[in-house]
Amino acid sequence: MPGAPAAGPTLLAERLVASWQRSEDYGVPLDAIEPSFVGTLNDESLFFECGREVLTGLHQTLVNEPVSLMLTDADGLVLNRLSGDTALLRALDKVHLAPGFAYAERTVGTNGLGLAIADRVPTVVRAEEHYAISLCTYTCAAVPVLDPVSGRLEGCVNLTTWSAQSSELLLALAQSAASNTSALMLARSRGQRPRPAQRGEVFRVETPRLEPGSGTLSSLGPAWTDALGRAGAAIGAGRIVAAVGEEGTGRATLLAQALRQELPRERILAASPPAPQDSEAWIGLWTPELGKPDTGILVRDVDRLPAWVAEHIRDLVLQARVRSTPDEHLPFCVTASSFDAIPAALAPLVGTVVSVPPLRERPEDVMPLAHHAASRVRGRGVTITRSAETALRGCGWPGNARQLIEVVTQAARRTDTLDVRHLPADVLSGSSHRLTRIEAFERDEIVRVITRPGISMQEAAEELGMSRATVYRKLAQYDIHVPRSQS
């Protein structure tokens, strides 16, 4: 590898060597920067709104410093750039580190923001650590920003300065800006709770015990049945299967059901990705099981894996295939948001892609899943009134089956007869725009009052301190639909 930095004992050095190798494999030239120009920027996202606000505030304190502050999206596309140093800005223009240009590792080689996105950890790339010679004039510190609710990678905060400048505080500033961006996103995301930190759970399951997908419904509508059949056929043929779709649709559940149907005597090991800094220990927990007889492997959310982890898993899968006999299969499945999101190292291994439709496209599955969730909570069947059923069927379920099961589980813990008044306000509201905290509180209060059994609209208006006309206007504003209570 020409001119690559020597691999030292630190993880950072290992990451740099891996990044240099990928850059060479991508065919990135050493002497020229040719980032792709996209031009079209998504400047309406919550991430961009909050990140721009945070960086604008930070820029005001660094206006006289030779530092450029940038936001990029998850593909390395530079969204904006702030700096008070005109000489630095002119120099960055020459290497196209500017809004509209994509600075991913694949196009310009090892660089701070590209490596931070690839490995999903805070990263500093200094001077000669860059792959391209024309970038050795700079030092870059970049920190990924994850959506605090969904956990999805939104992009990164990147701070760039001259390589001759001290970079000791650069990463700390980038980490602070990324953290503040994530916190601001949470505060403005309709009051939703943050996604729990990734724990890298690994479950080894013996046949008689609970396993991934155990106790779930396989007898659902035609869309689910068709996807389950295609996954099972591919597993039976020895192909690696990727289940793709929106979060919460049941991708891992579908694969676990397919594995159990095709390989009833095998144990299933399911692994969820850890926080990036815990990846090395996580790999050591489950990869020794890969390729063992009578063991099926299911890796969730591979689109959240750092690039080097995906490469390591690929190598282990290929080695396991070499060791296996022609009549042996390697039961290995993955989930991701889409095939395009699967890391480049793993995508060529996938033999079959099964799309799991969102729940809004499977309305026939809503009530079977609701009754199943309620019965699991109470250990017996729970009555769901016709008005509650109408509300459940009418909801768009942006969180898919996971959201439905959580809503019904919480309601079934409080009542033997689940009625519309036991459902949260967002199930009854079709409002698609982001609500402020005050708006969300107002909507929830309106729903709480008008779902009370026997209350008239006039009584509801008096309790809310509004006129009837205002209540009707608010119902339209929040797109609230409350079916009449009836059992």
Side-chain angles (χ1 to χ4, degrees):
M1 200 162 41
T10 65
L11 180 60
L12 179 60
E14 293 174 2
R15 289 177 53 220
L16 281 169
V17 170
S19 178
W20 272 64
Q21 182 63 64
R22 291 194 297 270
S23 302
E24 186 177 43
D25 293 343
Y26 295 146
V28 176
L30 283 167
D31 56 352
I33 289 294
E34 299 177 354
S36 57
F37 179 72
V38 177
T40 304
L41 308 178
N42 180 8
D43 57 2
E44 297 181 354
S45 69
L46 180 61
F47 163 67
F48 181 81
E49 172 191 320
C50 296
R52 178 178 57 184
E53 186 171 329
V54 169
L55 289 191
T56 299
L58 180 58
H59 170 60
Q60 292 173 354
T61 67
L62 299 175
V63 68
N64 295 320
E65 298 295 327
V67 178
S68 177
L69 294 77
M70 307 172 207
L71 280 180
T72 80
D73 69 8
D75 296 319
L77 176 66
V78 180
L79 302 176
N80 72 341
R81 188 181 68 180
L82 298 170
S83 179
D85 190 319
T86 55
L88 178 60
L89 288 175
R90 285 196 299 269
L92 293 177
D93 284 340
K94 291 181 180 179
V95 294
H96 309 297
L97 186 48
F101 287 91
Y103 242 70
E105 191 181 63
R106 180 179 292 273
T107 55
V108 299
T110 304
N111 69 94
L113 70 89
L115 186 51
I117 289 172
D119 283 354
R120 301 191 177 214
V121 291
T123 300
V124 176
V125 174
R126 300 175 176 84
E128 69 282 352
E129 293 174 342
H130 288 88
Y131 184 80
I133 295 172
S134 56
L135 295 181
C136 293
T137 312
Y138 311 102
T139 290
C140 301
V143 179
V145 177
L146 305 183
D147 185 292
V149 175
S150 70
R152 181 181 61 248
L153 176 66
E154 293 288 342
C156 79
V157 170
N158 178 61
L159 273 59
T160 297
T161 188
W162 301 109
S163 59
Q165 297 290 324
S166 172
S167 60
E168 298 303 318
L169 295 179
L170 206 62
L171 183 61
L173 287 172
Q175 287 178 307
S176 176
S179 176
N180 290 340
T181 298
S182 183
L184 192 56
M185 289 173 66
L186 179 61
R188 295 180 180 175
S189 61
R190 302 176 64 176
Q192 298 183 69
R193 292 175 295 176
R195 178 188 179 90
Q198 293 175 214
R199 297 175 56 193
E201 296 168 322
V202 177
F203 301 95
R204 176 190 255 164
V205 187
E206 303 299 332
T207 301
R209 301 174 59 190
L210 288 178
E211 61 184 7
S214 64
T216 57
L217 286 179
S218 56
S219 300
L220 293 171
W224 180 269
T225 302
D226 177 65
L228 181 59
R230 287 187 287 115
I235 291 170
R239 295 193 293 271
I240 290 177
V241 182
V244 301
E246 296 178 10
E247 194 168 334
T249 53
R251 299 166 301 182
T253 296
L254 181 132
L255 290 176
Q257 289 180 357
L259 281 166
R260 181 53 61 220
Q261 289 180 13
E262 293 297 319
L263 309 166
R265 295 186 178 182
E266 292 196 359
R267 58 183 177 174
I268 300 175
L269 185 151
S272 299
Q277 63 269 23
D278 298 328
S279 295
E280 195 168 2
W282 176 77
I283 286 174
L285 282 174
W286 68 268
T287 55
E289 303 294 318
L290 190 61
K292 284 187 176 181
D294 304 324
T295 300
I297 304 289
L298 167 56
V299 183
R300 297 183 176 99
D301 300 321
V302 293
D303 44 343
R304 292 180 179 165
L305 292 175
W308 73 269
V309 175
E311 292 166 358
H312 189 66
I313 294 174
R314 173 202 59 198
D315 294 342
L316 292 175
V317 170
L318 294 176
Q319 292 167 16
R321 279 182 167 175
V322 170
R323 293 193 303 267
S324 62
T325 62
D327 59 339
E328 287 180 334
H329 292 165
L330 179 65
F332 182 75
C333 303
V334 300
T335 72
S337 58
S338 67
F339 179 77
D340 291 340
I342 296 175
L346 295 177
L349 300 179
V350 175
T352 297
V353 178
V354 176
S355 179
V356 182
L359 189 57
R360 62 183 173 274
E361 296 178 8
R362 297 155 39 203
E364 67 278 0
D365 292 347
V366 171
M367 293 316 299
L369 287 171
H371 281 290
H372 181 70
S375 64
R376 289 188 69 177
V377 174
R378 303 303 297 269
R380 55 180 174 77
V382 172
T383 300
I384 300 179
T385 66
R386 289 177 60 188
S387 57
E389 179 175 338
T390 300
L392 292 173
R393 290 184 183 275
C395 180
W397 299 113
N400 290 299
R402 181 182 300 165
Q403 181 189 8
L404 168 65
I405 290 170
E406 182 178 348
V407 164
V408 174
T409 297
Q410 293 298 325
R413 286 173 177 161
R414 306 195 308 269
T415 181
D416 293 323
T417 301
L418 197 159
D419 191 21
V420 67
R421 68 181 182 277
H422 301 118
L423 301 176
D426 55 358
V427 171
L428 305 174
S429 171
S431 178
S432 58
H433 76 279
R434 194 166 62 249
L435 302 182
T436 66
R437 288 186 176 182
I438 293 176
E439 288 175 330
F441 176 79
E442 182 178 61
R443 179 202 62 184
D444 293 355
E445 274 297 289
I446 292 171
V447 169
R448 182 187 67 81
V449 172
I450 66 175
T451 56
R452 187 176 302 150
I455 194 168
S456 68
M457 191 59 71
Q458 182 61 45
E459 292 169 336
E462 292 174 357
E463 182 170 340
L464 291 166
M466 303 176 181
S467 67
R468 287 183 61 190
T470 299
V471 173
Y472 282 117
R473 181 171 58 81
K474 294 291 184 181
L475 291 176
Q477 176 185 339
Y478 298 124
D479 196 16
I480 297 171
H481 302 279
V482 180
R484 297 187 58 175
S485 292
Q486 48 186 317
S487 56

